Amino acid sequence: MDLKTLFKVSYGMYIVSSKKDNKLNGQIANTVFQVTSDPPAISVSINKQNLTHDYIIASKLFTVSILTEETPMQFIGKFGFKSGRDIDKFKDTNYKMGITNAPVVLDYSLGYIEAELTSNMDNGTHTLFIGKIVNAETINDKLPMTYAYYHEIKKGKSPKSAPTYISSADNGEKEQKSEVIKMSKYRCTVCDYIYDPAQGDPDAGVKPETAFESLPDDWVCPVCGADKTQFVKEE
C-alpha cells in the first residue's frame, strides 16, 4: 500500500492558535476544513499531546492563520517542530489579539479565521475540534501553501504528532545507493529533514551542489532550526 498517495489529498498549511489564561500558543496544522456554511463552522485536528490542544480545551477558542507559499521553512519549524512548553513561539512573531481575544498570527498569513468551540470528537491520538466562525479576514491575495507544495517544493516533513505523519517504513521508501557518491545527504535527527546537496538550501542562500561539509558553521536546519551537529550522514 502506497500511503504517500495521501499527500495528494488537498490539505493546506496553517497555524492554529489558542490561549490559556494569559499564555499564548500556536502550532502548524494541515487538517483544517469548513464543516458547514450556515452557520459557518470550521474544524481542526490537533494531537492530544500538543500544548495547543490543552489551550483550546481551556479557552474554547481557536484561530487559524492561512500560510502563504512564501513562508520560510524556519518559521514553519518554529511552530511545527518546537514545543510551546520549551519556547515562547509568539516572541518575535507578528500577531494580534482577535475579537475573541485569542491570538492571530499575521506573519506570512494571507488571511485568518476566528472560531468559538462548539463540539469536539475523540479520535484516538487526536481530537477533532469544531468551532463556530465568528470572524474571518483576508490580508492579501498571495497563494496559499498546500500540503503538496510543502512536501514537493519545500521538501518539508510532517512531525510525528501530525495526523498525516507517515513513516518511511510505512510508506515503503527504500534507500537508494550508488557505487560512487560524490556528496552525501544528511538527515536532521530532530525533525527528519534531509539536506540534499543537489538542491542546497536556497532560502538560506546555499546554492545547489553544496556539500554538507561546506555549509557555514552557523547554518541550521531550515525546518526546525537544529544546528549541524544534530545531522547524521545518510548511508
Side-chain angles (χ1 to χ4, degrees), residues 47-130:
N47 191 290
K48 293 177 181 177
Q49 296 181 359
N50 292 356
L51 188 62
T52 304
H53 182 281
D54 297 343
Y55 282 21
I56 295 175
I57 291 290
S59 67
K60 301 189 184 306
L61 301 169
F62 64 88
T63 68
V64 176
S65 298
I66 306 167
L67 297 180
T68 72
E69 289 184 347
E70 299 174 357
T71 308
M73 293 299 285
Q74 195 159 357
F75 186 79
I76 293 175
K78 177 182 180 181
F79 280 89
F81 289 90
K82 296 184 178 181
S83 172
R85 297 181 177 91
D86 302 322
I87 66 168
D88 179 2
K89 297 184 183 182
F90 283 82
K91 182 180 180 180
D92 300 323
T93 296
N94 183 26
Y95 72 96
K96 72 174 185 178
M97 303 305 289
I99 65 172
T100 61
N101 203 31
V104 176
V105 173
L106 300 176
D107 280 334
Y108 309 107
S109 173
L110 63 86
Y112 62 88
I113 299 165
E114 298 184 66
E116 296 176 346
L117 187 65
T118 56
S119 63
N120 59 297
M121 180 183 298
D122 189 322
N123 287 289
T125 58
H126 289 67
T127 297
L128 191 67
F129 293 110
I130 300 175

